[in-house]
PDB file of all heavy atoms in Angstrom:
ATOM      1  N   VAL A 633      17.334  39.124  60.961  1.00  0.00           N
ATOM      2  CA  VAL A 633      18.065  38.605  62.106  1.00  0.00           C
ATOM      3  C   VAL A 633      19.543  38.716  61.890  1.00  0.00           C
ATOM      4  O   VAL A 633      20.301  39.107  62.812  1.00  0.00           O
ATOM      5  CB  VAL A 633      17.642  37.134  62.421  1.00  0.00           C
ATOM      6  CG1 VAL A 633      18.540  36.517  63.449  1.00  0.00           C
ATOM      7  CG2 VAL A 633      16.204  37.069  62.878  1.00  0.00           C
ATOM      8  N   GLU A 634      19.985  38.416  60.709  1.00  0.00           N
ATOM      9  CA  GLU A 634      21.413  38.502  60.401  1.00  0.00           C
ATOM     10  C   GLU A 634      21.920  39.935  60.551  1.00  0.00           C
ATOM     11  O   GLU A 634      22.962  40.186  61.144  1.00  0.00           O
ATOM     12  CB  GLU A 634      21.724  37.986  58.981  1.00  0.00           C
ATOM     13  CG  GLU A 634      23.190  38.054  58.615  1.00  0.00           C
ATOM     14  CD  GLU A 634      23.454  37.518  57.256  1.00  0.00           C
ATOM     15  OE1 GLU A 634      22.528  37.493  56.418  1.00  0.00           O
ATOM     16  OE2 GLU A 634      24.610  37.145  56.952  1.00  0.00           O
ATOM     17  N   GLN A 635      21.157  40.881  60.023  1.00  0.00           N
ATOM     18  CA  GLN A 635      21.575  42.286  60.121  1.00  0.00           C
ATOM     19  C   GLN A 635      21.605  42.772  61.557  1.00  0.00           C
ATOM     20  O   GLN A 635      22.489  43.532  61.962  1.00  0.00           O
ATOM     21  CB  GLN A 635      20.608  43.150  59.333  1.00  0.00           C
ATOM     22  CG  GLN A 635      20.687  43.020  57.813  1.00  0.00           C
ATOM     23  CD  GLN A 635      19.544  43.721  57.104  1.00  0.00           C
ATOM     24  OE1 GLN A 635      18.504  44.037  57.682  1.00  0.00           O
ATOM     25  NE2 GLN A 635      19.753  43.979  55.792  1.00  0.00           N
ATOM     26  N   ALA A 636      20.654  42.304  62.339  1.00  0.00           N
ATOM     27  CA  ALA A 636      20.522  42.805  63.719  1.00  0.00           C
ATOM     28  C   ALA A 636      21.381  42.047  64.713  1.00  0.00           C
ATOM     29  O   ALA A 636      21.674  42.588  65.795  1.00  0.00           O
ATOM     30  CB  ALA A 636      19.046  42.697  64.182  1.00  0.00           C
ATOM     31  N   GLY A 637      21.825  40.833  64.350  1.00  0.00           N
ATOM     32  CA  GLY A 637      22.516  40.027  65.327  1.00  0.00           C
ATOM     33  C   GLY A 637      24.043  40.005  65.204  1.00  0.00           C
ATOM     34  O   GLY A 637      24.712  39.428  66.054  1.00  0.00           O
ATOM     35  N   GLY A 638      24.561  40.632  64.174  1.00  0.00           N
ATOM     36  CA  GLY A 638      26.002  40.686  64.011  1.00  0.00           C
ATOM     37  C   GLY A 638      26.627  39.343  63.615  1.00  0.00           C
ATOM     38  O   GLY A 638      25.970  38.478  63.053  1.00  0.00           O
ATOM     39  N   ALA A 639      27.883  39.184  63.936  1.00  0.00           N
ATOM     40  CA  ALA A 639      28.678  38.037  63.479  1.00  0.00           C
ATOM     41  C   ALA A 639      28.095  36.709  63.943  1.00  0.00           C
ATOM     42  O   ALA A 639      28.171  35.694  63.208  1.00  0.00           O
ATOM     43  CB  ALA A 639      30.096  38.150  63.954  1.00  0.00           C
ATOM     44  N   ALA A 640      27.536  36.694  65.125  1.00  0.00           N
ATOM     45  CA  ALA A 640      26.986  35.422  65.684  1.00  0.00           C
ATOM     46  C   ALA A 640      25.847  34.851  64.833  1.00  0.00           C
ATOM     47  O   ALA A 640      25.648  33.629  64.790  1.00  0.00           O
ATOM     48  CB  ALA A 640      26.482  35.622  67.113  1.00  0.00           C
ATOM     49  N   LEU A 641      25.154  35.723  64.116  1.00  0.00           N
ATOM     50  CA  LEU A 641      24.005  35.271  63.359  1.00  0.00           C
ATOM     51  C   LEU A 641      24.225  35.433  61.835  1.00  0.00           C
ATOM     52  O   LEU A 641      23.260  35.449  61.058  1.00  0.00           O
ATOM     53  CB  LEU A 641      22.740  36.048  63.747  1.00  0.00           C
ATOM     54  CG  LEU A 641      22.223  35.613  65.157  1.00  0.00           C
ATOM     55  CD1 LEU A 641      21.297  36.644  65.754  1.00  0.00           C
ATOM     56  CD2 LEU A 641      21.535  34.250  65.074  1.00  0.00           C
ATOM     57  N   LYS A 642      25.435  35.461  61.416  1.00  0.00           N
ATOM     58  CA  LYS A 642      25.748  35.556  59.999  1.00  0.00           C
ATOM     59  C   LYS A 642      25.269  34.305  59.265  1.00  0.00           C
ATOM     60  O   LYS A 642      25.529  33.189  59.679  1.00  0.00           O
ATOM     61  CB  LYS A 642      27.263  35.726  59.777  1.00  0.00           C
ATOM     62  CG  LYS A 642      27.638  35.892  58.313  1.00  0.00           C
ATOM     63  CD  LYS A 642      29.154  36.187  58.179  1.00  0.00           C
ATOM     64  CE  LYS A 642      29.533  36.316  56.706  1.00  0.00           C
ATOM     65  NZ  LYS A 642      28.774  37.356  55.996  1.00  0.00           N
TER      66      LYS A 642
END
Side-chain angles (χ1 to χ4, degrees):
V633 169
E634 181 179 20
Q635 290 170 341
L641 288 162
K642 183 175 178 57

